[in-house]
Amino acid sequence: MCGIVGAVSTRNIVDTLVEGLRRLEYRGYDSCGFAVMNVDSSTHPIERARTTARVADLLEQAKEFKGNIGISHTRWATHGKPDTHNAHPHISNQLIAVVHNGIIENFEALRSELIAAGYRFESETDTEVIAHLVHQLYTKSEPRNLLMAVQLATQRLVGAYAIAVMAQDKPDTLIAARVGSPLILAFGENENFLASDALALAGKAQSMVYLEEGDLASLQYDQVQIWDQQGKQVERPIKPMPAQASAVELGPYQHFMQKEIFEQPRAIADTLANLDELGPALFHADPNQWTSFDQVLILACGTSYYSACVAKYWLEGIAQIPTQVEVASEYRYRQSIPRAKTLVVVVSQSGETADTLAALRHAQAIGHPLSLAICNVASSAMVRETSWHFLTKAGTEIGVASTKAFTTQLLALYLLASSIAKRNGRLNQEQEKVILKNLRHLPKAIQAVLALEPQIIAWSQIFSGFENALFLGRGMHYPIALEGALKLKEISYIHAEAYPAGELKHGPLALVTEKMPVVTVAPNDLLLEKLKSNLQEVKARGGKLYVFADQDTDIKNTNDLQLIRLPEHYGDLSPILHVVPLQLLAYHTACARGSDVDKPRNLAKSVTVE
């Protein structure tokens, strides 16, 4: 989702602004832009470039610009369609320039007030309200005080925001503020920076700080000052900057999504590296608190929510611990009953998902002291705000549709379930050895599933002609069916729904025709015979089945049932294997339909607004 990069320096920083945006492209965006001022110019006007094309187009425009101070932005549309006039930065009366991540909930009231005061709006965005509000407050003060104007403006804003502001008559100062959306400050030599993600500035600065909730900051090339939400000047803990960001190359792959699907064996192996035993150390947990919880609450959104749904089967089946799974965006808006002995687990690829962060904070506020983050980014807000954490080692995931992040989340949750089972006396030493052995074999097992790609490509040519699809699964493979349907709709734009196979006769069977393919996850588990009966229900209605089954299942290819066999059944770890062919099916179907696989329409990688 939206990304911010800003800089103030003694040198030209245009390339730094655009390169920072290029590194943030993975978050998803539909427009981008920058605004700069050149202090060497006698009048140093604010100069701006914007585009609805990719950052590469902005880079071409950047050749005509020079500036010592500037702000840049990638936008994912919330208010107003993706169009150049809605792209950031927004400028008020050639004096104030603003970029903004988040959503201003009271923008309509502020907009009406500013229009009545004579301000003219050029966009449909909530962000332009901030630019005009800062301008109004800035021009009223005598002498003009940009820091004070931004501080007063933020007191009027309701919602979430990370903002960066510059003024045409203050060519040496950037002002930053954050509530709800992440923002970092980074320190260089004769230059200082801000960004929504440290990755944007990796290798460009020596050290950094995270702005905390309600912080306000002033950046000049030779100093940075921070004030907390009470207006007290403060210092925030200094952290090392990430090393120089390595270029992520496609190599032999057609898209990053395909590359990331094939990186899953490595991602699983890296996440399992140095795993010697199960237990609290895996989660950086206090051993004294490890025995203090007797139930689990998992909060997540989207793909991460489906990993949590699988985890419920593991936690209750393996560890015998009561588990509740909630959609994070819904959890904090209903009455819930807090229990101090609940472990709250939040799952997110980025660790910055706005709804999940808000749900975590709500759970903590109502009386849940223990929390665990499972995510892929060590520097994320979730890692900083939870008691414990587990870092997946998926590496950078560029494709908007998550693949390797999902399978490493599943792995982390399986480790959690097995570790709690060990704590509860439901896993002896010999059983632990078997689990560790199976886990170490998992990368090789996934590699064998990836070898099925040619067969899946053949299916995808057929699927590309459909506009609807049903996905079926039972037990812990029902969430895998949900994930398969989500992947197909995300990147191919085929309408797809998933159901527990036993629910077919309770409504979805009415949709089954020869034009409705039915994709079925069919592992060789205790529910297989029940599932085979469900397949007969589809066949009897003229439906066409596409079944992913284990090697030793008694299911055969027929005219109305197409079959791809996975190399082996993998017990409790089977969901991690069975999701891989569903990822490949979605990917190759999208390719066959000519979709922009890595950047599907209307979607963003990191959802940092509610």
Side-chain angles (χ1 to χ4, degrees):
M1 196 161 275
C2 306
I4 289 175
V5 184
V8 54
S9 176
T10 56
R11 65 178 178 89
N12 182 16
I13 47 79
V14 173
D15 287 348
T16 298
L17 296 177
V18 180
E19 168 63 15
L21 295 187
R22 188 192 65 77
R23 295 182 183 184
L24 298 181
E25 283 191 287
Y26 76 95
R27 297 164 72 99
Y29 66 102
D30 46 52
S31 62
C32 54
F34 66 81
V36 294
M37 289 189 290
N38 183 3
V39 295
D40 294 334
S41 167
S42 57
T43 56
H44 45 75
I46 297 175
E47 297 182 296
R48 177 175 62 178
R50 298 183 292 177
T51 181
T52 55
R54 295 299 175 196
V55 172
D57 181 71
L58 196 65
L59 185 61
E60 282 299 308
Q61 296 185 52
K63 295 175 182 177
E64 307 297 323
F65 290 80
K66 182 180 179 182
N68 306 87
I69 181 171
I71 51 180
S72 60
H73 190 267
T74 52
R75 175 179 185 256
W76 183 77
T78 55
H79 298 74
K81 63 184 179 181
D83 209 337
T84 304
H85 73 280
N86 286 325
H88 297 214
H90 289 286
I91 298 176
S92 177
N93 296 285
Q94 301 304 309
L95 180 62
I96 299 294
V98 173
V99 291
H100 160 231
N101 287 356
I103 289 179
I104 305 305
E105 296 176 6
N106 63 332
F107 87 100
E108 289 178 327
L110 292 172
R111 184 184 179 100
S112 298
E113 176 186 313
L114 289 162
I115 289 173
Y119 283 90
R120 179 175 172 270
F121 281 77
E122 298 178 351
S123 76
E124 293 87 54
T125 69
D126 53 342
T127 302
E128 194 176 1
V129 164
I130 303 173
H132 291 320
L133 185 58
V134 171
H135 179 277
Q136 183 184 60
L137 294 165
Y138 184 55
T139 53
K140 279 184 177 179
S141 62
E142 191 59 48
R144 291 181 175 181
N145 186 322
L146 185 60
L147 179 74
M148 184 66 69
V150 174
Q151 183 182 41
L152 292 172
T154 58
Q155 291 172 6
R156 301 285 313 279
L157 304 179
V158 176
Y161 55 82
I163 59 174
V165 183
M166 65 183 192
Q168 183 273 331
D169 59 355
K170 292 282 286 184
D172 63 346
T173 302
L174 284 180
I175 303 298
R178 68 144 297 198
V179 168
S181 292
L183 203 59
I184 67 143
L185 308 182
F187 315 117
E189 187 174 340
N190 292 321
E191 57 188 5
N192 291 302
F193 309 90
L194 58 84
S196 52
D197 188 328
L199 176 66
L201 299 171
K204 301 290 184 182
Q206 287 81 46
S207 56
M208 58 179 277
V209 299
Y210 294 99
L211 290 185
E212 297 186 8
E213 194 77 353
D215 278 357
L216 187 72
S218 172
L219 292 80
Q220 296 174 315
Y221 78 88
D222 58 352
Q223 69 170 343
V224 171
Q225 297 171 287
I226 304 173
W227 292 264
D228 65 16
Q229 55 189 340
Q230 280 77 44
K232 178 184 176 183
Q233 192 165 348
V234 294
E235 293 184 2
R236 297 302 183 202
I238 295 176
K239 308 284 186 181
M241 280 295 293
Q244 176 70 39
S246 58
V248 181
E249 302 293 342
L250 267 175
Y253 300 101
Q254 187 177 355
H255 298 94
F256 281 107
M257 183 178 177
Q258 184 187 29
K259 178 175 185 282
E260 288 152 11
I261 290 171
F262 277 82
E263 286 176 339
Q264 287 176 114
R266 175 62 181 272
I268 293 289
D270 288 348
T271 302
L272 290 171
N274 304 315
L275 174 64
D276 295 320
E277 64 174 340
L278 302 168
L282 287 174
F283 307 95
H284 302 272
D286 181 347
N288 296 320
Q289 293 180 310
W290 184 244
T291 58
S292 64
F293 61 90
D294 59 12
Q295 69 177 36
V296 176
L297 168 63
I298 312 179
L299 305 170
C301 297
T303 285
S304 297
Y305 171 74
Y306 296 148
S307 73
C309 290
V310 175
K312 178 179 172 68
Y313 286 92
W314 287 333
L315 285 159
E316 295 194 337
I318 300 172
Q320 297 284 290
I321 187 167
T323 301
Q324 185 177 357
V325 179
E326 295 262 4
V327 175
S329 57
E330 294 291 327
Y331 168 71
R332 67 190 175 112
Y333 294 113
R334 69 169 184 82
Q335 289 289 336
S336 56
I337 303 171
R339 289 187 72 251
K341 289 190 174 183
T342 298
L343 173 64
V344 176
V345 180
V346 286
V347 188
S348 165
Q349 187 280 138
S350 67
E352 302 288 352
T353 307
D355 287 317
T356 309
L357 266 175
L360 167 66
R361 292 164 182 162
H362 174 71
Q364 292 169 332
I366 64 174
H368 293 113
L370 282 182
S371 55
L372 164 68
I374 292 174
C375 85
N376 195 41
V377 181
S379 58
S380 66
M382 281 182 204
V383 171
R384 299 197 304 274
E385 295 185 26
T386 48
S387 317
W388 309 331
H389 66 271
F390 184 98
L391 293 175
T392 57
K393 300 295 176 61
T396 303
E397 192 177 61
I398 303 294
V400 167
S402 181
T403 53
K404 60 180 181 174
F406 176 72
T407 48
T408 53
Q409 286 171 356
L410 285 174
L411 177 59
L413 289 161
Y414 179 80
L415 291 171
L416 177 64
S418 299
S419 295
I420 296 173
K422 181 179 177 181
R423 182 203 75 172
N424 291 351
R426 298 185 177 276
L427 193 68
N428 61 36
Q429 194 172 29
E430 288 304 311
Q431 290 169 321
E432 181 178 4
K433 286 181 181 178
V434 171
I435 285 175
L436 294 176
K437 180 182 177 182
N438 289 339
L439 287 168
R440 293 186 184 109
H441 179 66
L442 193 55
K444 186 177 291 186
I446 295 174
Q447 197 70 53
V449 176
L450 291 169
L452 300 171
E453 185 181 35
Q455 298 176 55
I456 296 169
I457 291 173
W459 280 14
S460 71
Q461 301 304 310
I462 302 169
F463 264 73
S464 65
F466 292 118
E467 294 301 328
N468 300 281
L470 285 177
F471 284 69
L472 302 179
R474 296 203 72 147
M476 62 184 172
H477 292 85
Y478 164 52
I480 296 304
L482 285 165
E483 173 63 8
L486 176 63
K487 284 293 156 284
L488 189 67
K489 70 182 98 176
E490 278 182 315
I491 61 172
S492 75
Y493 317 137
I494 294 172
H495 172 250
E497 298 296 335
Y499 292 92
E503 285 294 293
L504 264 179
K505 63 180 71 70
H506 297 291
L509 203 56
L511 297 173
V512 172
T513 70
E514 61 181 11
K515 295 182 180 180
M516 175 74 79
V518 180
V519 181
T520 307
V521 182
N524 190 13
D525 59 15
L526 293 175
L527 289 168
L528 179 61
E529 293 306 315
K530 299 287 186 185
L531 181 63
K532 287 162 70 174
S533 297
N534 303 137
L535 301 184
Q536 292 298 328
E537 294 169 358
V538 173
K539 293 169 73 172
R541 273 76 181 179
K544 188 81 170 182
L545 287 156
Y546 295 82
V547 181
F548 291 102
D550 289 338
Q551 194 62 246
D552 48 359
T553 53
D554 185 23
I555 299 175
K556 294 180 174 62
N557 262 309
T558 62
N559 289 335
D560 47 13
L561 190 154
Q562 298 295 306
L563 180 67
I564 293 179
R565 292 195 185 276
L566 275 64
E568 58 186 307
H569 177 58
Y570 222 64
D572 288 331
L573 290 167
S574 175
I576 299 177
L577 295 185
H578 270 277
V579 76
V580 175
L582 300 182
Q583 295 169 348
L584 286 169
L585 179 63
Y587 168 73
H588 285 292
T589 301
C591 289
R593 289 168 68 95
S595 301
D596 187 348
V597 174
D598 289 332
K599 297 181 177 68
R601 68 189 183 203
N602 304 336
L603 299 180
K605 182 68 182 173
S606 179
V607 185
T608 54
V609 296
E610 184 177 1

